[in-house]
Coordinates of all heavy atoms in Angstrom, one line a residue:
M135 N -53.3 10.3 17.0 CA -53.7 9.1 16.2 C -53.6 7.9 17.1 O -52.6 7.7 17.8 CB -52.7 9.0 15.0 CG -53.1 7.9 14.0 SD -52.1 7.7 12.6 CE -52.2 9.3 11.8
S136 N -54.5 7.0 17.0 CA -54.5 5.8 17.8 C -53.4 4.9 17.4 O -52.9 5.0 16.2 CB -55.9 5.1 17.8 OG -56.0 4.4 16.5
Q137 N -53.0 4.0 18.2 CA -52.0 3.0 17.9 C -52.4 2.1 16.7 O -51.6 1.8 15.9 CB -51.6 2.2 19.1 CG -50.8 2.9 20.1 CD -50.4 2.1 21.3 OE1 -51.0 1.0 21.5 NE2 -49.5 2.5 22.1
D138 N -53.7 1.7 16.7 CA -54.2 0.9 15.6 C -54.2 1.6 14.3 O -53.8 1.1 13.3 CB -55.7 0.5 15.9 CG -55.7 -0.6 17.0 OD1 -54.7 -1.2 17.4 OD2 -56.8 -0.7 17.6
A139 N -54.6 2.9 14.3 CA -54.6 3.7 13.1 C -53.1 3.9 12.6 O -52.8 3.8 11.4 CB -55.2 5.0 13.3
E140 N -52.2 4.2 13.5 CA -50.8 4.3 13.2 C -50.2 3.0 12.6 O -49.5 3.1 11.6 CB -50.0 4.8 14.4 CG -48.5 5.0 14.1 CD -48.2 6.0 13.0 OE1 -49.0 6.8 12.6 OE2 -47.1 5.9 12.4
A141 N -50.6 1.9 13.2 CA -50.1 0.6 12.7 C -50.6 0.4 11.3 O -49.8 -0.1 10.4 CB -50.5 -0.5 13.6
L142 N -51.8 0.7 11.0 CA -52.4 0.5 9.7 C -51.8 1.5 8.7 O -51.5 1.1 7.6 CB -53.9 0.8 9.7 CG -54.7 0.6 8.4 CD1 -54.5 -0.8 7.8 CD2 -56.2 1.0 8.6
R143 N -51.5 2.7 9.1 CA -50.8 3.7 8.2 C -49.4 3.2 7.8 O -49.1 3.2 6.7 CB -50.7 5.1 8.9 CG -50.2 6.2 8.0 CD -49.9 7.4 8.8 NE -48.7 7.3 9.5 CZ -47.5 7.4 9.1 NH1 -47.3 7.6 7.8 NH2 -46.4 7.3 9.8
Q144 N -48.7 2.7 8.8 CA -47.4 2.2 8.5 C -47.4 1.0 7.6 O -46.6 0.8 6.7 CB -46.6 1.8 9.9 CG -46.2 3.0 10.6 CD -45.0 3.7 9.9 OE1 -44.4 3.2 9.0 NE2 -44.7 4.9 10.5
E145 N -48.4 0.1 7.9 CA -48.5 -1.1 7.0 C -48.8 -0.7 5.6 O -48.2 -1.2 4.6 CB -49.6 -2.0 7.6 CG -49.8 -3.3 6.8 CD -50.9 -4.2 7.3 OE1 -51.2 -4.1 8.5 OE2 -51.5 -4.9 6.6
S146 N -49.8 0.2 5.4 CA -50.2 0.7 4.1 C -49.0 1.4 3.4 O -48.7 1.2 2.2 CB -51.3 1.7 4.2 OG -52.4 1.0 4.7
R147 N -48.2 2.2 4.1 CA -47.1 2.9 3.6 C -46.0 1.9 3.1 O -45.5 2.1 2.0 CB -46.5 3.8 4.7 CG -45.5 4.8 4.2 CD -45.1 5.7 5.3 NE -44.4 6.9 4.8 CZ -43.1 6.9 4.6 NH1 -42.3 5.8 4.9 NH2 -42.5 8.0 4.1
T148 N -45.8 0.9 3.9 CA -44.8 -0.2 3.5 C -45.3 -0.9 2.2 O -44.5 -1.1 1.3 CB -44.6 -1.2 4.6 OG1 -44.1 -0.5 5.8 CG2 -43.7 -2.3 4.2
E149 N -46.6 -1.2 2.1 CA -47.1 -1.9 0.9 C -47.0 -1.0 -0.3 O -46.6 -1.4 -1.4 CB -48.5 -2.3 1.2 CG -48.7 -3.4 2.1 CD -50.1 -3.7 2.5 OE1 -51.1 -3.1 1.9 OE2 -50.4 -4.5 3.4
V150 N -47.3 0.3 -0.1 CA -47.2 1.2 -1.3 C -45.7 1.4 -1.7 O -45.4 1.4 -2.9 CB -47.8 2.6 -0.9 CG1 -47.5 3.7 -2.0 CG2 -49.3 2.5 -0.7
L151 N -44.8 1.5 -0.7 CA -43.4 1.6 -1.1 C -42.9 0.4 -1.8 O -42.2 0.5 -2.8 CB -42.6 1.9 0.2 CG -41.1 2.1 0.0 CD1 -40.8 3.2 -1.0 CD2 -40.4 2.3 1.3
D152 N -43.3 -0.8 -1.3 CA -42.9 -2.0 -2.0 C -43.4 -2.1 -3.4 O -42.6 -2.5 -4.4 CB -43.4 -3.3 -1.2 CG -42.7 -3.5 0.1 OD1 -41.6 -2.9 0.3 OD2 -43.3 -4.3 0.9
E153 N -44.6 -1.6 -3.7 CA -45.2 -1.6 -5.0 C -44.5 -0.6 -5.9 O -44.2 -0.8 -7.1 CB -46.7 -1.3 -5.0 CG -47.3 -1.4 -6.3 CD -47.3 -2.8 -7.0 OE1 -47.0 -3.8 -6.3 OE2 -47.6 -2.8 -8.2
L154 N -44.2 0.6 -5.3 CA -43.4 1.6 -6.1 C -42.0 1.1 -6.5 O -41.6 1.3 -7.7 CB -43.3 2.9 -5.3 CG -44.5 3.8 -5.1 CD1 -44.2 4.9 -4.1 CD2 -44.9 4.4 -6.5
V155 N -41.3 0.4 -5.6 CA -40.0 -0.1 -5.9 C -40.1 -1.2 -7.0 O -39.3 -1.2 -7.9 CB -39.3 -0.7 -4.6 CG1 -38.1 -1.5 -5.0 CG2 -39.0 0.5 -3.7
R156 N -41.1 -2.0 -6.9 CA -41.4 -3.0 -8.0 C -41.6 -2.4 -9.3 O -41.0 -2.8 -10.3 CB -42.5 -3.9 -7.6 CG -42.7 -5.1 -8.5 CD -44.0 -5.9 -8.2 NE -45.2 -5.1 -8.6 CZ -45.6 -4.9 -9.9 NH1 -44.9 -5.5 -10.9 NH2 -46.7 -4.3 -10.1
L157 N -42.4 -1.4 -9.3 CA -42.7 -0.7 -10.6 C -41.5 0.0 -11.2 O -41.3 0.1 -12.4 CB -43.9 0.3 -10.4 CG -45.2 -0.4 -10.2 CD1 -46.3 0.7 -9.8 CD2 -45.7 -1.1 -11.4
I158 N -40.7 0.6 -10.3 CA -39.5 1.3 -10.7 C -38.5 0.3 -11.3 O -37.9 0.6 -12.4 CB -38.8 2.1 -9.6 CG1 -39.7 3.2 -9.2 CG2 -37.4 2.5 -9.9 CD1 -39.5 3.8 -7.8
R159 N -38.3 -0.8 -10.7 CA -37.5 -1.9 -11.3 C -38.0 -2.3 -12.6 O -37.2 -2.6 -13.5 CB -37.4 -3.1 -10.3 CG -36.5 -2.8 -9.1 CD -36.3 -4.1 -8.3 NE -35.7 -3.8 -7.1 CZ -36.1 -4.2 -5.9 NH1 -37.2 -4.9 -5.8 NH2 -35.4 -3.9 -4.8
K160 N -39.3 -2.5 -12.7 CA -39.9 -2.9 -14.0 C -39.7 -1.9 -15.1 O -39.3 -2.2 -16.2 CB -41.4 -3.2 -13.8 CG -42.1 -3.7 -15.0 CD -43.5 -4.0 -14.7 CE -44.2 -4.6 -15.9 NZ -45.7 -4.9 -15.6
A161 N -39.8 -0.6 -14.8 CA -39.7 0.5 -15.7 C -38.2 0.7 -16.1 O -37.9 1.1 -17.2 CB -40.4 1.7 -15.2
H162 N -37.3 0.6 -15.1 CA -35.9 0.9 -15.3 C -35.1 -0.3 -14.8 O -34.6 -0.3 -13.7 CB -35.5 2.1 -14.5 CG -36.3 3.3 -14.8 ND1 -36.2 4.1 -16.0 CD2 -37.3 4.0 -14.1 CE1 -37.1 5.1 -15.9 NE2 -37.7 5.0 -14.8
G163 N -35.0 -1.3 -15.7 CA -34.3 -2.5 -15.3 C -32.9 -2.3 -14.8 O -32.3 -3.2 -14.1
S164 N -32.3 -1.2 -15.2 CA -30.9 -1.0 -15.0 C -30.6 -0.4 -13.6 O -29.4 -0.2 -13.3 CB -30.3 -0.2 -16.1 OG -30.9 1.1 -16.1
V165 N -31.6 -0.1 -12.8 CA -31.3 0.6 -11.5 C -31.0 -0.5 -10.5 O -31.5 -1.6 -10.5 CB -32.5 1.5 -11.0 CG1 -32.8 2.6 -12.0 CG2 -33.8 0.6 -10.8
S166 N -30.2 -0.1 -9.5 CA -29.8 -0.9 -8.4 C -31.0 -1.0 -7.5 O -31.9 -0.2 -7.5 CB -28.6 -0.4 -7.7 OG -28.9 0.8 -7.0
D167 N -30.9 -2.0 -6.6 CA -32.0 -2.1 -5.5 C -32.0 -0.9 -4.7 O -33.1 -0.4 -4.3 CB -31.7 -3.3 -4.7 CG -32.0 -4.6 -5.4 OD1 -32.6 -4.6 -6.5 OD2 -31.6 -5.7 -4.9
A168 N -30.8 -0.3 -4.3 CA -30.8 0.9 -3.5 C -31.4 2.1 -4.2 O -32.1 2.8 -3.6 CB -29.3 1.2 -3.1
E169 N -31.0 2.2 -5.5 CA -31.6 3.4 -6.3 C -33.1 3.3 -6.4 O -33.8 4.2 -6.3 CB -30.9 3.5 -7.6 CG -31.3 4.7 -8.4 CD -30.5 4.9 -9.7 OE1 -29.8 4.0 -10.1 OE2 -30.7 6.0 -10.3
A170 N -33.6 2.1 -6.7 CA -35.0 1.9 -6.8 C -35.7 2.2 -5.5 O -36.8 2.8 -5.5 CB -35.3 0.4 -7.2
A171 N -35.1 1.8 -4.3 CA -35.7 2.2 -3.0 C -35.7 3.7 -2.8 O -36.6 4.2 -2.2 CB -34.9 1.4 -1.9
V172 N -34.6 4.3 -3.1 CA -34.5 5.8 -2.9 C -35.5 6.5 -3.8 O -36.2 7.4 -3.3 CB -33.1 6.3 -3.2 CG1 -33.0 7.8 -3.3 CG2 -32.1 5.8 -2.1
I173 N -35.7 6.1 -5.0 CA -36.6 6.7 -5.9 C -38.1 6.4 -5.4 O -38.9 7.4 -5.4 CB -36.5 6.1 -7.4 CG1 -35.2 6.6 -8.0 CG2 -37.7 6.6 -8.3 CD1 -34.8 5.9 -9.3
G174 N -38.3 5.2 -5.0 CA -39.6 4.9 -4.4 C -40.0 5.7 -3.2 O -41.1 6.2 -3.1
L175 N -39.0 5.9 -2.3 CA -39.2 6.7 -1.1 C -39.4 8.1 -1.4 O -40.3 8.8 -0.8 CB -38.0 6.5 -0.2 CG -38.2 7.0 1.3 CD1 -39.4 6.4 1.9 CD2 -37.0 6.8 2.1
G176 N -38.7 8.6 -2.4 CA -38.9 10.0 -2.9 C -40.3 10.2 -3.4 O -40.9 11.2 -3.1
L177 N -40.7 9.3 -4.2 CA -42.1 9.4 -4.8 C -43.1 9.3 -3.7 O -44.1 10.1 -3.7 CB -42.3 8.3 -5.8 CG -41.6 8.5 -7.1 CD1 -41.8 7.2 -8.0 CD2 -42.2 9.7 -7.9
L178 N -42.9 8.4 -2.7 CA -43.9 8.3 -1.7 C -43.9 9.6 -0.8 O -45.0 10.0 -0.5 CB -43.5 7.1 -0.8 CG -44.5 6.8 0.4 CD1 -45.9 6.5 -0.2 CD2 -44.0 5.5 1.1
A179 N -42.8 10.1 -0.5 CA -42.8 11.4 0.3 C -43.5 12.5 -0.5 O -44.2 13.3 0.1 CB -41.3 11.8 0.6
L180 N -43.2 12.6 -1.8 CA -43.9 13.6 -2.6 C -45.4 13.4 -2.6 O -46.2 14.4 -2.3 CB -43.4 13.5 -4.1 CG -44.2 14.4 -5.1 CD1 -44.1 15.9 -4.8 CD2 -43.8 14.1 -6.5
L181 N -45.9 12.2 -2.7 CA -47.3 11.9 -2.7 C -48.0 12.2 -1.4 O -49.1 12.7 -1.3 CB -47.6 10.5 -3.2 CG -47.2 10.1 -4.6 CD1 -47.4 8.7 -4.9 CD2 -48.0 11.0 -5.6
E182 N -47.3 11.8 -0.3 CA -47.8 12.1 1.0 C -47.9 13.6 1.3 O -48.9 14.1 1.8 CB -46.9 11.4 2.1 CG -47.0 9.9 2.2 CD -46.0 9.3 3.1 OE1 -45.0 10.0 3.5 OE2 -46.3 8.2 3.6
T183 N -46.8 14.3 0.9 CA -46.8 15.8 1.1 C -47.9 16.4 0.2 O -48.6 17.3 0.7 CB -45.4 16.3 0.8 OG1 -44.5 15.7 1.6 CG2 -45.4 17.8 1.0
A184 N -48.0 16.0 -1.0 CA -49.0 16.6 -1.9 C -50.5 16.3 -1.3 O -51.3 17.2 -1.4 CB -48.9 16.0 -3.3
A185 N -50.7 15.1 -0.8 CA -52.0 14.8 -0.3 C -52.3 15.7 0.9 O -53.4 16.2 1.0 CB -52.1 13.3 0.1
I186 N -51.4 15.8 1.8 CA -51.6 16.7 3.0 C -51.9 18.1 2.5 O -52.8 18.8 3.0 CB -50.4 16.6 3.9 CG1 -50.3 15.2 4.6 CG2 -50.4 17.7 5.0 CD1 -49.0 14.9 5.3
S187 N -51.1 18.6 1.6 CA -51.3 20.0 1.1 C -52.6 20.2 0.5 O -53.3 21.2 0.8 CB -50.2 20.3 0.0 OG -50.3 21.5 -0.5
Q188 N -53.1 19.2 -0.3 CA -54.4 19.3 -0.9 C -55.5 19.2 0.1 O -56.5 20.0 0.1 CB -54.6 18.2 -2.0 CG -55.9 18.3 -2.8 CD -55.9 17.4 -3.9 OE1 -55.0 16.6 -4.1 NE2 -57.0 17.4 -4.6
V189 N -55.4 18.2 1.0 CA -56.5 18.1 2.0 C -56.6 19.3 2.9 O -57.7 19.8 3.2 CB -56.2 16.8 2.9 CG1 -57.1 16.8 4.1 CG2 -56.4 15.6 2.0
R190 N -55.5 19.9 3.3 CA -55.5 21.0 4.2 C -55.8 22.3 3.4 O -56.1 23.4 4.0 CB -54.1 21.2 4.9 CG -53.9 20.1 5.9 CD -52.6 20.3 6.6 NE -52.4 19.3 7.7 CZ -51.3 19.1 8.2 NH1 -50.2 19.8 8.0 NH2 -51.2 18.1 9.1
G191 N -55.6 22.3 2.1 CA -55.8 23.5 1.3 C -54.9 24.6 1.7 O -55.2 25.7 1.8
D192 N -53.6 24.2 1.8 CA -52.6 25.1 2.2 C -52.3 26.2 1.2 O -52.9 26.2 0.1 CB -51.3 24.4 2.7 CG -50.6 23.7 1.6 OD1 -50.9 23.9 0.4 OD2 -49.6 22.9 1.9
D193 N -51.3 27.1 1.5 CA -51.0 28.2 0.7 C -50.6 27.8 -0.7 O -51.0 28.4 -1.7 CB -50.0 29.1 1.3 CG -50.4 29.8 2.5 OD1 -51.7 29.9 2.7 OD2 -49.6 30.3 3.3
V194 N -49.8 26.8 -0.8 CA -49.3 26.3 -2.1 C -50.4 25.8 -3.0 O -50.5 26.2 -4.1 CB -48.2 25.2 -1.9 CG1 -47.8 24.6 -3.3 CG2 -47.0 25.7 -1.2
Y195 N -51.2 25.0 -2.4 CA -52.4 24.4 -3.1 C -53.3 25.5 -3.6 O -53.7 25.6 -4.7 CB -53.1 23.4 -2.3 CG -54.3 22.8 -3.0 CD1 -54.1 21.8 -3.9 CD2 -55.6 23.2 -2.8 CE1 -55.2 21.2 -4.6 CE2 -56.7 22.7 -3.4 CZ -56.4 21.6 -4.3 OH -57.5 21.1 -5.0
R196 N -53.6 26.4 -2.7 CA -54.6 27.5 -3.0 C -54.0 28.5 -4.1 O -54.7 28.9 -5.0 CB -54.9 28.3 -1.8 CG -56.0 27.6 -0.9 CD -56.6 28.5 0.2 NE -55.7 29.5 0.8 CZ -54.9 29.2 1.8 NH1 -55.0 28.1 2.4 NH2 -54.1 30.2 2.4
S197 N -52.7 28.8 -4.0 CA -52.1 29.7 -4.9 C -51.9 29.1 -6.3 O -52.1 29.8 -7.3 CB -50.7 30.2 -4.4 OG -49.8 29.2 -4.4
L198 N -51.7 27.8 -6.4 CA -51.6 27.2 -7.7 C -52.9 26.9 -8.3 O -53.1 26.9 -9.5 CB -50.7 25.9 -7.6 CG -49.2 26.0 -7.4 CD1 -48.6 24.7 -7.2 CD2 -48.6 26.7 -8.6
G199 N -53.9 26.5 -7.5 CA -55.1 26.0 -8.0 C -55.0 24.5 -8.2 O -53.9 24.0 -8.4
H200 N -56.1 23.8 -8.3 CA -56.1 22.4 -8.4 C -55.4 21.9 -9.6 O -54.5 21.0 -9.5 CB -57.6 21.8 -8.4 CG -57.6 20.3 -8.5 ND1 -57.2 19.5 -7.4 CD2 -57.9 19.5 -9.5 CE1 -57.3 18.2 -7.8 NE2 -57.7 18.2 -9.1
R201 N -55.7 22.4 -10.8 CA -55.1 21.8 -12.0 C -53.6 22.0 -12.0 O -52.8 21.1 -12.4 CB -55.7 22.5 -13.2 CG -57.1 22.0 -13.5 CD -57.7 22.6 -14.8 NE -59.0 22.1 -15.0 CZ -59.8 22.6 -15.9 NH1 -59.4 23.5 -16.7 NH2 -61.1 22.1 -16.0
A202 N -53.1 23.2 -11.7 CA -51.7 23.5 -11.7 C -51.0 22.7 -10.6 O -49.9 22.2 -10.8 CB -51.4 25.0 -11.5
F203 N -51.6 22.5 -9.5 CA -51.0 21.8 -8.4 C -50.8 20.3 -8.8 O -49.7 19.8 -8.7 CB -52.0 21.8 -7.2 CG -51.4 21.0 -6.0 CD1 -50.5 21.6 -5.1 CD2 -51.9 19.8 -5.7 CE1 -50.0 20.9 -4.0 CE2 -51.4 19.1 -4.6 CZ -50.5 19.6 -3.8
V204 N -51.8 19.7 -9.4 CA -51.7 18.3 -9.9 C -50.7 18.2 -11.0 O -49.9 17.3 -11.0 CB -53.1 17.8 -10.4 CG1 -53.0 16.5 -11.1 CG2 -54.1 17.7 -9.2
R205 N -50.6 19.2 -11.9 CA -49.6 19.2 -12.9 C -48.2 19.3 -12.3 O -47.3 18.5 -12.7 CB -49.9 20.3 -13.9 CG -48.9 20.4 -15.1 CD -49.2 21.5 -16.1 NE -49.3 22.8 -15.5 CZ -50.4 23.5 -15.4 NH1 -51.5 23.1 -15.8 NH2 -50.3 24.7 -14.8
E206 N -48.0 20.2 -11.4 CA -46.7 20.3 -10.7 C -46.3 19.1 -10.0 O -45.1 18.7 -10.1 CB -46.7 21.5 -9.8 CG -46.8 22.9 -10.4 CD -45.5 23.2 -11.2 OE1 -44.4 22.8 -10.8 OE2 -45.6 23.8 -12.3
V207 N -47.2 18.4 -9.3 CA -46.9 17.2 -8.6 C -46.5 16.1 -9.6 O -45.5 15.4 -9.4 CB -48.0 16.7 -7.7 CG1 -47.8 15.3 -7.2 CG2 -48.3 17.7 -6.6
G208 N -47.2 16.0 -10.7 CA -46.9 15.1 -11.8 C -45.5 15.3 -12.3 O -44.7 14.4 -12.6
E209 N -45.2 16.6 -12.6 CA -43.8 16.9 -13.1 C -42.7 16.6 -12.1 O -41.7 16.0 -12.5 CB -43.8 18.4 -13.6 CG -44.6 18.6 -14.8 CD -44.7 20.1 -15.1 OE1 -44.0 20.9 -14.5 OE2 -45.5 20.5 -16.1
L210 N -43.0 16.9 -10.9 CA -42.0 16.5 -9.9 C -41.8 15.0 -9.8 O -40.7 14.5 -9.6 CB -42.4 17.1 -8.5 CG -42.2 18.6 -8.3 CD1 -42.9 19.0 -7.0 CD2 -40.7 18.9 -8.3
A211 N -42.9 14.3 -9.8 CA -42.9 12.8 -9.8 C -42.0 12.2 -11.0 O -41.2 11.3 -10.8 CB -44.3 12.2 -9.8
E212 N -42.2 12.8 -12.1 CA -41.5 12.4 -13.3 C -40.0 12.6 -13.1 O -39.1 11.8 -13.4 CB -41.9 13.1 -14.6 CG -43.3 12.6 -15.0 CD -43.8 13.3 -16.2 OE1 -43.0 14.2 -16.8 OE2 -44.9 13.1 -16.6
R213 N -39.6 13.8 -12.5 CA -38.2 14.1 -12.3 C -37.6 13.1 -11.2 O -36.4 12.7 -11.4 CB -38.1 15.5 -11.8 CG -38.4 16.5 -13.0 CD -38.3 17.9 -12.5 NE -36.9 18.3 -12.1 CZ -36.6 19.4 -11.5 NH1 -37.5 20.3 -11.2 NH2 -35.4 19.7 -11.1
I214 N -38.4 12.8 -10.2 CA -37.9 11.9 -9.2 C -37.7 10.5 -9.8 O -36.7 9.8 -9.5 CB -38.8 11.9 -8.0 CG1 -38.8 13.2 -7.2 CG2 -38.5 10.7 -7.0 CD1 -39.9 13.3 -6.2
A215 N -38.6 10.1 -10.6 CA -38.6 8.7 -11.1 C -37.5 8.5 -12.2 O -37.2 7.3 -12.4 CB -40.0 8.4 -11.7
E216 N -37.0 9.5 -12.8 CA -36.0 9.3 -13.8 C -34.7 9.0 -13.1 O -34.1 9.8 -12.4 CB -35.8 10.6 -14.7 CG -36.7 10.6 -15.9 CD -36.6 9.4 -16.7 OE1 -35.5 9.0 -17.1 OE2 -37.7 8.9 -17.0
P217 N -34.1 7.8 -13.4 CA -32.8 7.5 -12.7 C -31.7 8.3 -13.3 O -31.8 8.7 -14.5 CB -32.6 6.0 -13.1 CG -33.5 5.7 -14.3 CD -34.6 6.7 -14.2
A218 N -30.7 8.6 -12.5 CA -29.6 9.4 -12.9 C -28.8 8.6 -14.0 O -28.7 7.4 -13.9 CB -28.7 9.7 -11.8
T219 N -28.3 9.3 -15.0 CA -27.5 8.6 -16.0 C -26.0 8.9 -15.8 O -25.6 9.7 -15.2 CB -27.9 9.2 -17.4 OG1 -27.8 10.6 -17.4 CG2 -29.4 8.7 -17.7

């Protein structure tokens, strides 16, 4: 990957993470800044991994099929986004 492309990827990733953290704070006003950042990073990692899996059509994506894959990713995202009680 070129340096320009990598810089753009990092910038976009930072912007997405900032927005996820903002939305997490909005949805769960009681979470600490650190917890919101960890939840946001977990969601971002899940979305990046899911996107790579889908684009590459890897074994997990193929074995689940598109609908089940999307459903599973959604369920995992919900579990990550729920703050611990």
Side-chain angles (χ1 to χ4, degrees):
M135 185 179 303
S136 75
Q137 288 182 341
D138 290 340
E140 178 60 19
L142 180 59
R143 188 189 74 76
Q144 285 291 350
E145 181 182 335
S146 298
R147 189 174 197 273
T148 299
E149 290 173 6
V150 169
L151 181 57
D152 289 345
E153 184 64 13
L154 285 169
V155 169
R156 186 188 72 75
L157 291 170
I158 291 160
R159 284 188 188 127
K160 184 176 179 181
H162 303 288
S164 63
V165 298
S166 68
D167 289 347
E169 188 174 7
V172 169
I173 293 168
L175 192 56
L177 287 169
L178 184 57
L180 171 65
L181 294 173
E182 288 175 338
T183 303
I186 291 167
S187 179
Q188 186 174 359
V189 168
R190 290 183 179 165
D192 68 10
D193 291 342
V194 173
Y195 182 80
R196 283 194 321 271
S197 67
L198 287 173
H200 179 74
R201 287 184 184 170
F203 180 83
V204 170
R205 184 177 54 248
E206 289 293 325
V207 170
E209 289 173 6
L210 285 170
E212 287 176 8
R213 290 178 64 189
I214 292 169
E216 271 307 309
T219 55

